[in-house]
Amino acid sequence: MNQQKAITYSLLAYIRANSELINGPLDIFVPLIKRALSMMHKNGINSGKNISEIYEHSKKIYDMVFPLPVLKKILNIISTEINNTKEGAFILNKDDSFIISNYTFVEYDEVTRKREVQIKELEELFQKFCTASDYNIKKDESIFHFIEEHKITLAKYLSNSEVSEPHDYTTVVQFINYFKNITPVYDLIKSLYLGSILSEYIEYTPSTIAIST
């Protein structure tokens, strides 16, 4: 997991915890795509021939893949919502071309900026912890890598269950345990874990989502 994906995971967890409008599994992703549309508009992209252009921009912003059928469903939700307000306009045509008109969405920009700083500091803390403990850090070994690759074990650990981890990840487990009583850091670790779980909802097909809701 790179830093951008970690920011995305943390943002998903924040949206889930702070939004009162989460009614279905897709709703937590709506603000992400709204923000992507706003950023596209800010950068002078006011229309496109296909939603694949939104797909590419969203992937670049969040380091996360939004399958086109699911993205289209999200865009239909946004189009209906925006066009019923005075926030601007987003038109999704039947041929999947689109128009973005005077649309700005900055609701989570400040949260994102704070998360960028916090996540950078978290990784730096991990590096310092390993150095102080005389551990040799592998090229791809980090707190983010641990969270993404060991979700099941981490869930047991966060619930205070006994954890048995391979030796390669002893450093990371000790790091989490060391910071468990430092609330801001531990809360960030938990938000990254929760966000990694929430991100899996995007893999559902529209038909599966319809059944789930």
Side-chain angles (χ1 to χ4, degrees):
M1 185 197 306
N2 64 27
Q3 191 174 86
Q4 187 56 57
K5 183 173 286 187
I7 293 169
T8 300
Y9 285 178
S10 179
L11 186 57
L12 283 173
Y14 180 89
I15 293 169
R16 182 66 182 85
N18 292 277
S19 177
E20 298 179 355
L21 302 176
I22 304 298
N23 298 313
L26 276 187
D27 291 344
I28 58 171
F29 301 104
V30 170
L32 298 188
I33 301 302
K34 282 183 175 180
R35 184 166 172 264
L37 293 174
S38 178
M39 293 173 71
M40 290 173 67
H41 180 66
K42 183 179 179 180
N43 291 329
I45 302 173
N46 301 314
S47 63
K49 295 181 179 180
N50 192 273
I51 62 172
S52 59
E53 297 174 42
I54 300 173
Y55 168 93
E56 292 296 338
H57 278 84
S58 300
K59 182 179 178 181
K60 183 177 180 180
I61 294 168
Y62 301 113
D63 192 22
M64 181 174 170
V65 173
F66 295 82
L68 285 173
V70 181
L71 177 60
K72 184 173 181 177
K73 189 174 181 70
I74 294 173
L75 291 172
N76 277 319
I77 293 171
I78 293 173
S79 178
T80 300
E81 179 183 327
I82 292 177
N83 295 335
N84 287 331
T85 68
K86 296 181 180 180
E87 295 178 345
F90 173 71
I91 300 172
L92 181 61
N93 298 311
K94 291 182 178 180
D95 63 354
D96 285 351
S97 62
F98 62 90
I99 298 172
I100 308 171
S101 177
N102 298 322
Y103 183 61
T104 301
F105 183 80
V106 296
E107 184 173 346
Y108 296 101
D109 283 5
E110 183 61 28
V111 174
T112 302
R113 283 191 287 269
K114 289 181 179 178
R115 290 295 186 270
E116 288 174 353
V117 174
Q118 292 170 345
I119 287 170
K120 183 178 180 180
E121 290 175 347
L122 176 59
E123 181 61 16
E124 289 174 353
L125 285 172
F126 174 68
Q127 303 295 328
K128 290 179 180 179
F129 174 79
C130 292
T131 300
S133 303
D134 294 324
Y135 284 103
N136 293 320
I137 304 173
K138 295 181 180 179
K139 183 178 180 180
D140 61 348
E141 186 178 21
S142 72
I143 188 66
F144 308 131
H145 182 267
F146 170 78
I147 291 171
E148 189 161 68
E149 297 297 322
H150 298 271
K151 294 176 184 177
I152 295 176
T153 304
L154 184 58
K156 296 177 181 178
Y157 186 78
L158 292 175
S159 63
N160 296 317
S161 299
E162 183 178 352
V163 178
S164 177
E165 278 297 294
H167 178 71
D168 288 347
Y169 290 95
T170 299
T171 304
V172 187
V173 174
Q174 290 186 3
F175 171 83
I176 295 174
N177 191 53
Y178 180 82
F179 285 100
K180 190 171 184 178
N181 294 322
I182 305 177
T183 302
V185 175
Y186 197 63
D187 284 349
L188 179 57
I189 292 170
K190 289 193 291 185
S191 76
L192 293 175
Y193 164 74
L194 176 58
S196 72
I197 299 299
L198 293 172
S199 70
E200 295 179 356
Y201 292 173
I202 203 66
E203 299 298 330
Y204 291 177
T205 64
S207 59
T208 303
I209 293 168
I211 293 172
S212 299
T213 57

